[in-house]
Amino acid sequence: MKIEINGSGYRYISENSGECSPECAFVLTRQNEKYIEDARSRGAAGVLSPEEAFAALGLERIKVIGITGTNGKTTTASAIYSLFLDLGYKAAMQGTRGFFMNDVPVEGKTLTTPTVLNTYRHMLQAIEAGCDYFVMEVSSHAIEQERIAGITFDLKILTNITQDHLDYHQSIDEYIRIKNLFFQDESKKLINKDEPRAQFNIKNAFTYGVENPATYKIVAYSLNNGVSGVLKHFEELVPFESSLHGFFNLYNVTAAMAAVHLLSTKALPEIAEALENFGGVSGRMEVVSTDPLVIVDFAHTPDGMEQVLGALKEKEVLVVFGAGGDRDRTKRPLMGRVASSYAKKLYVTSDNPRFEDPDAIIEDILKGIEDRSNVYVDVNRRNAIAQALRDREGDEVVLILGKGDETSQIIYDQHLPFDDRVVAKELLSGM
């Protein structure tokens, strides 16, 4: 992929050495450094650092918001994006759900954080579309692999730090270190004050939270019929309401309101009023049926599951879930333990097994469940969902976790069509 550039002595820049030529410079990143001699042998017009490429493209013309954390990145990013649009700004968003500009989908799902030059390309498109803000999710992989190199962030946000991706980072301590690495410079940052694992440079740091003193603090809240509360900023008290459910979404909407307040000229009451228009994210606490109540959620970590199940703790819940293959094995028994401590009955099944044996993945999950008298096991995900729907009685809720709005199941290297929401609706219509 080449990006056209003007007035710099060459016509293009690329991070692919195979595209380099006397009119195309090579953008050197941590991912492609071993190809630098290949770029030179092809007559590359020059070698640029990501910082130089960022400046050459004039990307400082757009305000960039980066959000990292184990859970909540997608909802927080989507809420910020929604608020900006509703408040009259033009904005773009890049993340798990794809790339969007001014309320229009531009590209489908790829990596949470793409390669350096792909992100730069999206920023350039956003600038050309007149966008004032570029909201992006930042994964731990992207931080460690320097896929955000060169970007000048106007605001960095931390949602939380719990266990995930230990297949890649090897230890929880290393994962925590990588997440916190994003917040060690002097750029403006917004930190979840209730996250005990957060470590950050206090210069230009703002905080938000529910339990601890913070720049933006929730001083009262209700979880009935969505989340609502009162946000305190210094001496200002601002009521807000949202249709989102669950205690964890208090953090997501607070971070979103605070971010927009820090980066725009809008007053908090106006921002809070606009929040009412945000309906949430597809596949996150998504209600696919109200009678019976069937909810689909993306939660695929022990903490993510605990947050979702905690939001439904007043109800009797039947939980369908599995765990992804070729990923962190240590979280599987923890997921089983969390699910068994909240749910009335468990339906342990396959998620995206990839190249792992799905039965072996299920065995890992079961190791965390002491009492298996209320556990149903079926490696076929459709069968497990069907069984939960058949077993449901009275006001019981069927909660299907792990895949959210994913539309395929990954078995070996094949992406086979499978959408929890579609499957649940099909099964319900046949009952």
Side-chain angles (χ1 to χ4, degrees), residues 154-158 182-193 198-208 213-216 233-234 258 262:
D154 293 86
L155 182 66
K156 297 178 175 182
I157 302 172
L158 175 67
F182 190 50
F183 302 99
Q184 299 312 305
D185 62 13
E186 296 184 353
S187 62
K188 188 180 289 186
K189 52 195 79 74
L190 179 62
I191 307 293
N192 180 348
K193 192 68 178 296
Q199 297 174 6
F200 54 95
N201 186 329
I202 61 171
K203 186 163 185 179
N204 290 320
F206 300 83
T207 57
Y208 68 99
T215 318
Y216 297 88
H233 177 60
F234 296 106
L262 286 168

Side-chain angles (χ1 to χ4, degrees), residues 29-302:
T29 70
R30 185 171 170 182
Q31 277 71 57
N32 68 13
E33 55 190 0
K34 64 183 177 182
Y35 298 106
I36 187 169
E37 291 307 320
D38 181 56
R40 286 174 172 152
S41 71
R42 294 173 186 273
V47 177
L48 301 179
S49 69
E51 290 78 8
E52 290 170 326
F54 187 89
L57 291 167
L59 299 180
E60 73 284 346
R61 290 173 288 168
I62 194 168
K63 289 184 170 64
V64 184
I65 302 103
I67 302 122
T68 197
T70 309
N71 299 304
K73 292 189 297 295
T74 301
T75 300
T76 302
S78 299
I80 293 169
Y81 173 65
S82 172
L83 285 171
F84 278 136
L85 294 178
D86 283 344
L87 290 167
Y89 298 100
K90 290 186 175 182
M93 178 178 66
Q94 171 187 281
T96 305
R97 297 169 61 214
F99 177 50
F100 301 78
M101 291 194 304
N102 299 326
D103 220 13
V104 176
V106 179
E107 291 181 16
K109 299 177 182 179
T110 54
L111 294 172
T112 298
T113 313
T115 63
V116 171
L117 224 57
N118 266 301
T119 295
Y120 286 10
R121 176 174 61 87
H122 286 161
M123 288 181 180
L124 202 58
Q125 287 177 265
I127 290 169
E128 290 168 353
C131 293
D132 307 290
Y133 298 96
F134 187 90
V135 186
M136 63 181 288
E137 296 179 50
V138 178
S139 68
S140 58
H141 294 73
I143 298 170
E144 198 275 333
Q145 295 169 7
E146 298 179 12
R147 278 190 259 136
I148 51 171
I151 298 173
T152 300
F153 287 93
D154 293 86
L155 182 66
K156 297 178 175 182
I157 302 172
L158 175 67
T159 58
N160 48 58
I161 307 175
T162 60
Q163 180 174 332
D164 201 11
H165 303 305
L166 298 198
D167 55 304
Y168 180 82
H169 297 293
Q170 301 302 309
S171 73
I172 187 66
D173 289 340
E174 177 63 7
Y175 177 67
I176 293 168
R177 185 188 74 81
I178 292 296
K179 284 291 190 188
N180 283 320
L181 195 62
F182 190 50
F183 302 99
Q184 299 312 305
D185 62 13
E186 296 184 353
S187 62
K188 188 180 289 186
K189 52 195 79 74
L190 179 62
I191 307 293
N192 180 348
K193 192 68 178 296
D194 298 340
E195 175 47 70
R197 291 165 161 168
Q199 297 174 6
F200 54 95
N201 186 329
I202 61 171
K203 186 163 185 179
N204 290 320
F206 300 83
T207 57
Y208 68 99
V210 179
E211 298 169 0
N212 293 295
T215 318
Y216 297 88
K217 177 173 169 55
I218 301 294
V219 293
Y221 67 87
S222 169
L223 302 179
N224 296 323
N225 301 315
V227 297
S228 59
V230 177
L231 177 62
K232 183 178 182 182
H233 177 60
F234 296 106
E235 300 307 312
E236 187 175 21
L237 294 171
V238 181
F240 66 90
E241 292 183 7
S242 168
S243 62
L244 274 62
H245 291 272
F247 181 74
F248 59 96
N249 272 321
L250 274 177
Y251 288 99
N252 297 334
V253 300
T254 302
M257 288 188 289
V260 174
H261 187 242
L262 286 168
L263 292 180
S264 76
T265 59
K266 302 298 183 181
L268 267 177
E270 189 177 359
I271 296 169
E273 185 177 349
L275 180 68
E276 296 179 30
N277 297 327
F278 177 57
V281 178
S282 179
R284 269 67 172 180
M285 290 293 280
E286 183 174 351
V287 176
V288 297
S289 167
T290 55
D291 186 19
L293 183 54
V294 180
I295 297 173
V296 168
D297 192 86
F298 185 66
H300 60 286
T301 66

Side-chain angles (χ1 to χ4, degrees), residues 352-422:
N352 293 318
R354 299 181 177 87
F355 287 91
E356 274 197 77
D357 178 357
D359 289 309
I361 297 173
I362 288 171
E363 281 303 313
D364 285 341
I365 294 170
L366 294 175
K367 289 173 184 175
I369 304 172
E370 291 185 13
D371 179 5
R372 301 184 188 176
S373 61
N374 287 317
V375 178
Y376 172 89
V377 175
D378 193 325
V379 73
N380 184 303
R381 192 171 179 92
R382 186 184 184 93
N383 289 349
I385 295 170
Q387 188 64 46
L389 293 173
R390 283 194 295 268
D391 290 349
R392 191 208 65 82
E393 297 176 341
D395 294 330
E396 292 173 350
V397 179
V398 174
L399 181 62
I400 307 169
L401 297 180
K403 293 172 60 59
D405 62 347
E406 292 178 7
T407 56
S408 64
Q409 188 170 28
I410 308 171
I411 300 175
Y412 296 108
D413 57 353
Q414 291 186 297
H415 289 248
L416 305 176
F418 197 99
D419 186 322
D420 285 345
R421 301 164 301 177
V422 172

Side-chain angles (χ1 to χ4, degrees), residues 311-364:
L312 297 168
K313 62 185 177 183
E314 305 301 324
K315 301 184 180 294
E316 292 188 321
V317 183
L318 312 185
V319 181
V320 182
F321 76 105
D326 300 330
R327 297 294 187 269
D328 178 12
R329 288 188 61 179
T330 65
K331 72 179 181 180
R332 294 171 186 170
L334 300 178
M335 292 166 69
R337 187 179 308 156
V338 168
S340 63
S341 66
Y342 281 92
K344 180 178 181 180
K345 189 168 183 179
L346 304 181
Y347 301 78
V348 184
T349 186
S350 184
D351 191 317
N352 293 318
R354 299 181 177 87
F355 287 91
E356 274 197 77
D357 178 357
D359 289 309
I361 297 173
I362 288 171
E363 281 303 313
D364 285 341

